Amino acid sequence: SWIALSVVSVIIMQCQMLCVVSAFGDFALPKMPWDKPSQNPGGAKSSDQLQPGDTVAVIGASGNVGKLVALRLSDTFKVNGVVRDASRVAPFFEGRTNIQLYEADLLGEKFQGECPASLRPALEKANAIVICTGTTAFPTEAWSRSEDTSVTSDVVKALVDNGFNWQKAIASLDELGLNTPANVDARANEFLLDAWDAASKVKQKRAILLSSIGVQRRTTMPFPILNACGVLDAKAVAEESLQQHASDGGYSYTIVRPGQLFGGPYDNNYYLGTLFQLDKDESTQNVEVGKGDELLGDTLRSTLAEVTAQLMEEDFCRDMDFTVINAKGDTPSVDALQDSLKSL
C-alpha cells in the first residue's frame, strides 16, 4: 500500500543520512512517530527530580526529627514547615531565611474536597513533602492535644467504661480526638495527602514518609508488644495511603523505617557539614540500611534527618521502602552514606 511504501522511503532516507554523518560532524536525526523519547537526554536530570530552590513542605517541623529535617533541607531547598505552634520552634531556625513556618492542627481539620485554609499556603507551592509526624506507642503526655499534659485519667475512664477491654478503650480515646496512633499516624497522614493533592499549584515530585521498623513484622515478636495500642497498624495504613496517593498523583514516594529514635534534644541550629556532627559523642555512629523491614536496632534522629536530606538532594530510593539503623562504629562519610543508599 502507499502507507507501507512511505514508511520504507523514510527508513531509506534515514539510512542515507547516517552515511554522511561523519562528513558533517554531530548530527541528530529528526524524531519519528515510533521513536521512544529519551528517559534522560544528554545526562540531564529528570524533570521529576527535585532541583535546588524547589519547595519542600516538612510536616511536623517542630519535633526533634522534623526540625532537623527542615534545617538540613534548607541547605538546598525552600522549606515550608508545618507546626502547631511556631513560637516554640522559631528560635531554632533563626537566620534560616528560606524556612517559613505555618501553623496548623491536623487533628482539628477535616478534608471536605478542598485543602483547609490553614494548610493551603504551606502546600500549594510544595514540590515535595516530608511527613515527620508521629506519636508514642503507648499513652503518654504526647497523646494529649497540648502534648504536655497527662492523659492518665482519660485512659482509666476509657478502660472502666469499656469493661477493661483494651482495644475498645483505645478506640474510645481515638474518638476523643487525642493524639493516638490511629489519629496521628493514620487519619492525619491520609488527610494531609488529600490536602496536598487538592492544594497543589506546582508539579508534585516526591513524598517521603518517616515510618517505623516492625510495620511489616507486627505479628512477629517483639513487635506485637510495640503494637499493643495499634501504632504499627496505624503506620501501615499511612504507608499504604502514601503509595496509593503517589500512584494516583504521578509522583514518587519513599518510606523510611527507622528503629527506636535516640539522640538530642537539639536546641540550636549549628552543625558542621552534616547532621552527624550533632551526636559526635555517641559510640553508635555507623549507618546500616536495608530494603523492606528486616533490620533491627535504634536510629539517631540526626542520622534519620541526614538520610532524608540525601534522598531529596540526590534522588535516591524512588518508589521503595527501606530500614535505617545505627550500629557500633564511626560516622560514615557522605560518600559512603550515598553509596549505601545507591545500593538499595
Side-chain angles (χ1 to χ4, degrees), residues 59-225:
I59 314 303
S62 58
N64 264 328
V65 172
K67 65 185 182 182
L68 293 186
V69 170
L71 175 68
R72 178 61 178 80
L73 288 175
S74 70
D75 290 342
T76 306
F77 308 108
K78 298 174 184 176
V79 174
N80 291 345
V82 177
V83 300
R84 282 186 177 175
D85 184 354
S87 66
R88 295 176 61 179
V89 72
F92 183 82
F93 297 126
E94 184 178 359
R96 293 280 174 150
T97 57
N98 54 339
I99 296 179
Q100 299 293 320
L101 298 179
Y102 299 87
E103 292 185 344
D105 181 0
L106 298 183
L107 297 189
E109 297 281 8
K110 291 184 179 180
F111 184 78
Q112 298 177 330
E114 62 181 26
C115 180
S118 64
L119 282 170
R120 184 172 295 279
L123 299 180
E124 62 184 2
K125 294 183 179 180
N127 303 104
I129 191 170
V130 183
I131 302 175
C132 305
T133 53
T135 189
T136 53
F138 303 99
T140 65
E141 291 181 352
W143 280 28
S144 70
R145 292 305 302 275
S146 64
E147 298 184 345
D148 59 6
T149 58
S150 174
V151 294
T152 301
S153 60
D154 293 314
V155 173
V156 171
K157 185 178 186 303
L159 285 169
V160 172
D161 290 348
N162 290 279
F164 290 90
N165 182 301
W166 186 243
Q167 285 72 27
K168 290 182 179 179
I170 294 297
S172 68
L173 294 173
D174 295 338
E175 293 174 1
L176 282 177
L178 299 184
N179 294 339
T180 60
N183 285 338
V184 173
D185 289 298
R187 296 189 186 101
N189 283 345
E190 186 166 13
F191 154 76
L192 180 65
L193 293 169
D194 285 337
W196 185 35
D197 290 346
S200 182
K201 294 182 178 180
V202 297
K203 184 175 180 60
Q204 294 171 290
K205 299 181 179 182
R206 189 84 184 259
I208 294 178
L209 172 67
L210 304 187
S211 186
S212 171
I213 64 171
V215 169
Q216 295 182 338
R217 294 175 283 175
R218 55 191 186 277
T219 59
T220 303
M221 289 297 290
F223 297 108
I225 298 173

Side-chain angles (χ1 to χ4, degrees), residues 3-4 35 42 64 67 188 254 310 335 344:
I3 296 177
D35 288 338
N64 264 328
K67 65 185 182 182
T254 307
Q310 292 292 336
D335 287 343
L344 297 173

Side-chain angles (χ1 to χ4, degrees), residues 293-310:
D293 184 12
E294 296 182 354
L295 299 179
L296 187 63
D298 300 333
T299 308
L300 282 165
R301 291 179 174 90
S302 55
T303 293
L304 180 56
E306 180 67 27
V307 166
T308 301
Q310 292 292 336

Side-chain angles (χ1 to χ4, degrees), residues 230-312:
V231 67
L232 297 180
D233 291 334
K235 289 182 181 295
V237 171
E239 291 184 7
E240 293 171 6
S241 178
L242 172 61
Q243 291 172 311
Q244 187 61 57
H245 276 81
S247 177
D248 293 344
Y251 54 85
S252 68
Y253 74 90
T254 307
I255 296 167
V256 184
R257 298 194 182 99
Q260 180 172 320
L261 298 173
F262 71 108
Y266 309 104
D267 299 319
N268 62 70
N269 66 7
Y270 178 72
Y271 67 96
L272 303 172
T274 74
L275 293 179
F276 294 139
Q277 295 291 335
L278 288 175
D279 296 291
K280 61 184 179 181
D281 295 329
E282 292 285 349
S283 61
T284 310
Q285 289 275 347
N286 194 23
V287 179
E288 295 182 4
V289 296
K291 288 182 179 179
D293 184 12
E294 296 182 354
L295 299 179
L296 187 63
D298 300 333
T299 308
L300 282 165
R301 291 179 174 90
S302 55
T303 293
L304 180 56
E306 180 67 27
V307 166
T308 301
Q310 292 292 336
L311 298 179
M312 288 291 196

